[in-house]
């Protein structure tokens, strides 16, 4: 999915994931968890086209959350 993005969008995604990982480093102070961040940002970053929004299933939403969670929990930026 990420490799299909234009370079500028890919860079913004990587920057955002790095920022969110930094937030997680301070989870003791900000009460954020990887699951909470992934749930919030998955719906913002990975959504179906407008004409397909009503056909998105719970399984589709969970896949998006797991996708973001994978980036948040990985050790590297890619």
């Amino acid at each position: 999915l990420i490799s299909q993005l234009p370079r500028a969008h890919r860079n913004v995604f990587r920057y955002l994931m790095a920022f969110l990982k930094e937030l997680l480093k301070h989870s003791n102070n900000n009460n954020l968890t990887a699951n909470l961040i992934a749930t919030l940002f998955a719906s913002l970053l990975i959504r179906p086209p407008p004409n397909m929004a009503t056909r998105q299933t719970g399984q589709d939403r969970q896949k998006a959350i797991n996708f973001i969670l994978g980036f948040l929990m990985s050790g590297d930026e890619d």
Side-chain angles (χ1 to χ4, degrees), residues 28-46:
N28 290 337
N29 298 324
N30 60 28
N31 295 321
L32 291 174
T33 65
N35 284 326
L36 176 63
I37 291 174
T39 301
L40 291 172
F41 279 87
S43 64
L44 296 170
L45 298 174
I46 304 171

Side-chain angles (χ1 to χ4, degrees), residues 6 11 14 18 29-30 33-34 41 47 53 58 63 67 70 73 76:
N11 290 341
R14 288 181 178 148
N29 298 324
N30 60 28
T33 65
F41 279 87
R47 55 182 186 232
K63 284 181 184 178
F67 181 78
M73 303 308 290
D76 58 4

Side-chain angles (χ1 to χ4, degrees), residues 7-25:
R7 178 178 284 192
H9 294 199
R10 198 170 42 238
N11 290 341
V12 168
F13 180 82
R14 288 181 178 148
Y15 180 84
L16 182 58
M17 290 300 110
F19 175 74
L20 294 176
K21 284 182 180 184
E22 189 64 30
L23 282 178
L24 285 175
K25 289 180 184 178

Side-chain angles (χ1 to χ4, degrees), residues 46-58:
I46 304 171
R47 55 182 186 232
N51 60 338
M52 300 288 287
T54 59
R55 297 174 68 187
Q56 186 181 30
T57 66

